[in-house]
Amino acid sequence: MFSELNSILNISPDSFTRGEFILVSDRQSDASFLIHHFLSFYLRARCKVCFLGLVQSFCHYSAVSQRLGVSLTQAKEKGQLVFFEGLKECLSVLTPKENNVESEAMNFLRDPTVGLRSLYEFVRSSVIGSGSLEEGAEQWGPSVLLVDDLSVLLSLGVDVGAVLDFSHYCRALVCSQMQGNMVMLVRCNGEEDDDDDGDVVSEVLLKGLTHQCNLSLHVQGLPTGYCKDIHGQMEVCWKTRQGDTPHLQKNLFQYKVYDKGASFFARGTSSAVL
Amino acid sequence: MAAPVNSVGKTSADRLQANCTSFQKKTRSKLISIPGTRPSVQNGQLLVSTGVTSLDYLLGGGLAVGTVLLIEEDRFDSYSRMILKYFLAEGVVCRHELFVATAQDNPDEILQELPAPILDDVAAPKPVEQPRLTGEPQDTLDAMKIAWRYQNLPKVQSALASSSRFGHYYDVSKTMEAEIRQAAKCHRFYLPDHITPSSAAHRVESYSALLKSLQEVIHREGFDLATPMSKSRNILRVGLHSLGSALWGDDLCCHDKPRHSHALTTFLYGLRALLRSSLSVAVVTLPSHLIQDRALMGNITRLCDNAIALESFKGSERETNPLYKDYHGLLYVRQVPHLNSLARQLPDHKDLAFKLKRKQFTIEEGMQIVSFIPLTTIMMMTVVSVNSEGIHSNVLPLQDLMAAYISEKMLCRGSDLLALPVFVPARMAELSGLWGWGGDFEMGPGTDTKVVTGTGDEFQKLYRKKKKKRYGLTSAEQHNRQKHVSVSSTSTKVCLITF
């Protein structure tokens, strides 16, 4: 949990707006540090978290969360965290063995045209799931869905329409129905105004999700080039309603990622420059 | 997970449930070590050497176990193949097991071309010489007089000791002897043996056949992390040659919009899954210059952990450029992973050049791109300029100002190459005189105006020297003095203004 980011977003583990869809996106950069932040944030806030870790192993997230002060294994044991490890499940589909049961949620690997319905069913079952609480089970806060990341599904051949449907279904379930929060990571490759041979598919996905979200954190490298002291810039965009009028508020920060956190500062105020 | 070395502090319940750490220690004091590996100093990851020590340094000490290194091939696949051979040769010397997969040449051909290691003694599978004990008679010449305490140590460095070193050097002009090579266990995957090229299944099945074969080897030979820690562990080095080429049944290199563009990415996803759950490392070479779709290259790069790209000067105009006469090509670091940590070990410089010498593959900062200062602040400058007629005129046009400002900042840092932001036209680069480096060094006549076209380093040396002689001030104080340099619009000389 990055305290500076919390103050920027005006949230804390004790108070945060519910029913929000937070979109974390990056362009030729890596915004996964924000996913780690939100994971530790919501675990600290005692929410019931469903995490789709599609690109890294459980140990990676666990090691990073340890540095941020949260233990994923403990959260899993207590039932607070439902962790879906995409890498482990995919092997059962890609290299099937006779006696092994294929993972249902990743069946889009076998045939991408099937879409992400099974993955959604998995999310649904883990978010709604514990209808009957066992004795002594702790009461957790609102459900939260975290996805890291959505663009890998595009690389695996899933149609962009199917991915948008999946995010819409999840939003309807988690944000509207369960009044929880949802955080998704989308990664883009090309330049923003590169129409011809750019990555059309991820641009479509990014635009579609930006339209659906309430809060967007967009991470990019510095426009003037590579810098060792400032890792990039992050644009925060709030969509609020003040009365009847929708209101868009944007803010730009620069950041640097450390071993145990990240610091955010206004442009030009990096410690390297000042 | 790239295997972390220590699992101290984890309760046994954690260990059993997590089932991800490869080193479940039996006792706290005993640390299981595999020859040819070492823990990283930054985050405790287990690292293996790629065979090229300068590449190890770039990757943060070595290649982490459980990760993939993607090498974008150079045009003729000469240097990328060389690095692959270094990687496999390092595996042979460290007694790791190898898995080589190719579609074009037989894996045996690659294995026969491995460079010969330069060792103090060859790690041959001969029995180690019996160490001499003090009781036996020795030649008086051999007997140590001063360092007599070391008399008892075995004189011959055993094979194990040499392989426990991290990173070896290889002689490219010789190939590895057959005895050494055959001592290492090697698994081969030659695509035409598994799938006939003309079959309909070829297009889609070749990658899944490779994945299945790799998983079978990992499982059979016990590299899986899930298998119990009964016997000594070893590392499996996987070398995949020219993935994505047409010979693998892929049309990535043939069409602008390939039809099965996700076959390779799905394979890389499965490869990552396999590697994270076993004690193996993979090096994949890819002919990226044949793939037109840049977005696809971005996806492929993201699915691999480390990614470098090679660009050789062979056959290009740069081969005869005196600028590059010391080097064989350029090396780009496309991606560095962050494993089990938030921060990644970014390289200092992103543009590097490599040189393949007989005994070493070196990577150097051929061109130093200075980390760019974001131009968020605007400085007001007054500039005095002198053109070739000696006429002073105030206020250079904004473009020249910017060039001057930038070049001054860069030069004072001793950089060689100027990285200009895209909104500065190339004319500025010319004006600043640093565009073609290796230019001449000229001094203005006897004044404190200096006309410079040299490289940053040369200029800085001379500038400091001259300044010291003239003014007798320390360099810090001199830096604060106002100085101006003449600029002439007709020739390409640099304009230097400081405040």
Side-chain angles (χ1 to χ4, degrees):
Chain A
M1 183 165 85
F2 311 146
S3 41
E4 283 177 21
L5 185 58
N6 282 350
S7 56
I8 287 174
L9 297 177
N10 241 340
I11 51 175
S12 79
D14 304 319
S15 76
F16 55 90
T17 34
R18 297 176 58 160
E20 264 203 340
F21 173 18
I22 301 172
L23 177 71
V24 179
S25 55
D26 65 35
R27 187 175 295 279
Q28 295 179 334
S29 184
D30 191 3
S32 49
F33 67 99
L34 290 172
I35 290 286
H36 292 294
H37 157 79
F38 282 113
L39 177 61
S40 60
F41 176 85
Y42 285 117
L43 283 176
R44 283 244 182 98
R46 296 182 56 81
C47 295
K48 189 163 185 313
V49 179
C50 172
F51 189 85
L52 301 182
L54 299 174
V55 280
Q56 295 282 6
S57 59
F58 177 73
C59 290
H60 168 83
Y61 296 110
S62 178
V64 180
S65 301
Q66 200 94 19
R67 287 172 204 234
L68 297 178
V70 170
S71 167
L72 291 193
T73 31
Q74 270 182 16
K76 244 170 74 163
E77 276 168 30
K78 286 191 283 183
Q80 188 188 8
L81 170 69
V82 176
F83 193 94
F84 179 77
E85 193 173 347
L87 287 175
K88 208 165 64 168
E89 308 288 331
C90 83
L91 283 179
S92 61
V93 178
L94 289 178
T95 52
K97 299 203 176 97
E98 302 83 34
N99 39 1
N100 272 13
V101 177
E102 256 189 30
S103 163
E104 267 304 311
M106 301 285 279
N107 64 356
F108 61 86
L109 283 173
R110 210 182 335 116
D111 181 15
T113 52
V114 161
L116 296 170
R117 195 187 196 93
S118 324
L119 194 60
Y120 169 70
E121 293 298 330
F122 172 84
V123 169
R124 187 189 172 83
S125 61
S126 53
V127 163
I128 292 185
S130 52
S132 60
L133 295 169
E134 302 106 21
E135 289 183 10
E138 298 181 51
Q139 278 280 5
W140 301 113
S143 311
V144 175
L145 172 67
L146 289 150
V147 181
D148 175 23
D149 64 65
L150 220 48
S151 309
V152 77
L153 297 172
L154 293 176
S155 312
L156 295 173
V158 181
D159 186 39
V160 67
V163 179
L164 282 171
D165 288 342
F166 170 74
S167 77
H168 177 71
Y169 268 75
C170 288
R171 180 167 162 244
L173 170 70
V174 175
C175 299
S176 306
Q177 191 179 336
M178 309 289 295
Q179 281 295 304
N181 285 3
M182 189 164 85
V183 182
M184 287 192 169
L185 172 62
V186 176
R187 309 190 64 185
C188 291
N189 260 323
E191 298 296 320
E192 194 161 344
D193 36 359
D194 197 11
D195 287 322
D196 292 337
D197 51 337
D199 193 4
V200 182
V201 174
S202 22
E203 297 297 328
V204 169
L205 179 64
L206 179 64
K207 289 202 175 107
L209 289 177
T210 315
H211 173 74
Q212 291 180 13
C213 71
N214 300 105
L215 169 66
S216 148
L217 303 171
H218 187 64
V219 172
Q220 283 186 150
L222 288 177
T224 46
Y226 170 64
C227 178
K228 201 154 191 260
D229 293 310
I230 305 171
H231 290 160
Q233 70 183 34
M234 181 182 75
E235 190 183 20
V236 184
C237 182
W238 286 273
K239 285 190 209 163
T240 53
R241 290 193 83 89
Q242 289 180 351
D244 275 332
T245 52
H247 180 65
L248 200 75
Q249 182 190 351
K250 284 195 184 184
N251 237 332
L252 193 66
F253 297 94
Q254 290 176 343
Y255 69 90
K256 180 171 181 182
V257 180
Y258 296 100
D259 204 27
K260 294 208 171 188
S263 69
F264 299 84
F265 35 85
R267 263 189 299 180
T269 59
S270 156
S271 52
V273 172
L274 289 178
Chain B
M1 173 241 12
V5 171
N6 48 351
S7 54
V8 184
K10 278 199 181 173
T11 62
S12 52
D14 273 345
R15 249 185 270 147
L16 287 169
Q17 274 195 335
N19 196 26
C20 61
T21 53
S22 53
F23 304 107
Q24 296 179 2
K25 296 196 277 189
K26 298 196 174 66
T27 62
R28 273 192 190 201
S29 51
K30 215 174 170 190
L31 195 74
I32 301 167
S33 67
I34 305 175
T37 66
R38 71 170 177 200
S40 153
V41 287
Q42 273 104 2
N43 47 16
Q45 302 263 335
L46 195 65
L47 301 176
V48 295
S49 168
T50 52
V52 181
T53 28
S54 32
L55 186 60
D56 286 343
Y57 174 70
L58 268 186
L59 298 175
L63 202 53
V65 172
T67 61
V68 181
L69 168 65
L70 174 74
I71 302 178
E72 295 183 30
E73 290 176 10
D74 52 307
R75 212 158 273 271
F76 305 108
D77 189 23
S78 40
Y79 297 105
S80 43
R81 199 183 165 102
M82 195 68 236
I83 296 185
L84 186 66
K85 285 190 275 187
Y86 270 116
F87 177 71
L88 297 172
E90 181 73 21
V92 170
V93 171
C94 295
R95 300 293 179 86
H96 297 160
E97 288 192 27
L98 307 179
F99 180 99
V100 186
T102 60
Q104 184 180 347
D105 310 314
N106 204 305
D108 285 321
E109 284 181 28
I110 295 185
L111 289 169
Q112 275 157 15
E113 291 171 11
L114 295 186
I118 305 171
L119 295 170
D120 299 333
D121 61 305
V122 176
K126 293 180 238 164
V128 176
E129 247 185 62
Q130 198 69 322
R132 294 196 198 168
L133 305 169
T134 43
E136 290 181 32
Q138 298 169 19
D139 290 338
T140 45
L141 287 168
D142 282 353
M144 297 185 198
K145 295 214 168 20
I146 295 173
W148 54 271
R149 280 192 197 276
Y150 300 100
Q151 195 95 339
N152 304 341
L153 296 177
K155 290 235 165 69
V156 178
Q157 200 181 14
S158 67
L160 190 58
S162 67
S163 65
S164 65
R165 217 173 71 203
F166 189 83
H168 298 84
Y169 293 98
Y170 298 89
D171 188 343
V172 177
S173 55
K174 300 184 224 158
T175 54
M176 195 183 267
E177 287 170 33
E179 303 160 336
I180 314 172
R181 198 179 355 113
Q182 274 144 23
K185 206 165 170 190
C186 180
H187 309 273
R188 296 159 179 78
F189 180 94
Y190 185 39
L191 187 66
D193 292 340
H194 291 253
I195 294 182
T196 53
S198 53
S199 74
H202 181 55
R203 182 157 291 248
V204 192
E205 294 291 320
S206 47
Y207 291 129
S208 54
L210 173 59
L211 198 65
K212 285 196 186 103
S213 162
L214 183 59
Q215 188 191 39
E216 193 210 350
V217 165
I218 286 177
H219 196 69
R220 197 179 63 213
E221 305 291 327
F223 293 106
D224 228 339
L225 288 175
T227 59
M229 303 274 303
S230 50
K231 46 180 184 163
S232 61
R233 307 306 293 262
N234 204 351
I235 305 272
L236 176 69
R237 289 187 182 230
V238 180
L240 306 176
H241 183 247
S242 255
L243 277 191
S245 73
L247 291 166
W248 284 95
D250 225 337
D251 57 352
L252 290 178
C253 301
C254 312
H255 295 128
D256 272 346
K257 309 278 176 203
R259 266 181 299 143
H260 297 279
S261 56
H262 59 269
L264 178 58
T265 42
T266 314
F267 167 76
L268 288 173
Y269 189 74
L271 179 68
R272 178 186 268 206
L274 273 182
L275 293 182
R276 293 285 201 269
S277 59
S278 64
L279 281 174
S280 24
V281 201
V283 168
V284 175
T285 69
L286 191 91
S288 65
H289 52 94
L290 296 174
I291 296 178
Q292 305 299 325
D293 194 352
R294 279 181 297 138
L296 181 59
M297 266 323 294
N299 288 343
I300 291 172
T301 309
R302 273 205 236 111
L303 282 169
C304 302
D305 303 293
N306 301 282
I308 64 173
L310 297 175
E311 180 190 328
S312 87
F313 295 146
K314 252 194 249 177
S316 77
E317 66 214 355
R318 289 178 177 171
E319 203 174 355
T320 47
N321 192 333
L323 209 65
Y324 295 117
K325 65 171 157 44
D326 289 332
Y327 301 105
H328 288 134
L330 298 176
L331 186 144
Y332 304 99
V333 177
R334 296 266 194 244
Q335 186 173 263
V336 177
H338 66 106
L339 299 160
N340 295 353
S341 69
L342 269 177
R344 52 187 79 201
Q345 296 129 32
L346 293 163
D348 285 331
H349 310 277
K350 287 199 118 180
D351 280 281
L352 306 136
F354 66 85
K355 187 179 356 174
L356 177 61
K357 298 191 277 207
R358 188 170 73 94
K359 293 202 176 178
Q360 210 181 0
F361 185 101
T362 48
I363 300 168
E364 292 166 18
E365 294 137 22
M367 296 199 292
Q368 181 182 350
I369 305 272
V370 175
S371 60
F372 207 88
I373 306 164
L375 293 180
T376 52
T377 57
I378 299 177
M379 283 171 56
M380 289 304 298
M381 301 183 207
T382 55
V383 170
V384 173
S385 82
V386 179
N387 60 14
S388 49
E389 284 90 42
I391 300 169
H392 295 252
S393 63
N394 283 342
V395 188
L396 282 177
L398 182 64
Q399 293 174 332
D400 301 340
L401 256 174
M402 301 248 309
Y405 170 69
I406 293 163
S407 62
E408 188 273 319
K409 283 280 178 214
M410 299 306 144
L411 278 186
C412 286
R413 285 188 184 202
S415 68
D416 303 281
L417 182 69
L418 188 64
L420 294 178
V422 286
F423 53 87
V424 176
R427 184 174 159 276
M428 257 74 43
E430 274 184 10
L431 268 187
S432 61
L434 292 174
W435 195 246
W437 53 310
D440 302 318
F441 220 98
E442 284 184 35
M443 298 296 293
T447 63
D448 53 341
T449 61
K450 292 168 185 30
V451 180
V452 172
T453 55
T455 58
D457 270 339
E458 294 169 86
F459 170 72
Q460 199 166 8
K461 265 189 275 182
L462 190 62
Y463 196 64
R464 278 207 208 109
K465 208 166 44 169
K466 283 287 170 186
K467 272 163 54 166
K468 274 206 176 116
K469 264 205 272 186
R470 285 184 81 89
Y471 302 112
L473 297 171
T474 62
S475 54
E477 292 167 52
Q478 284 168 8
H479 188 76
N480 296 332
R481 279 180 80 92
Q482 198 169 32
K483 50 198 180 294
H484 51 266
V485 176
S486 69
V487 72
S488 70
S489 49
T490 49
S491 61
T492 59
K493 306 278 195 281
V494 77
C495 169
L496 229 235
I497 307 106
T498 51
F499 291 78

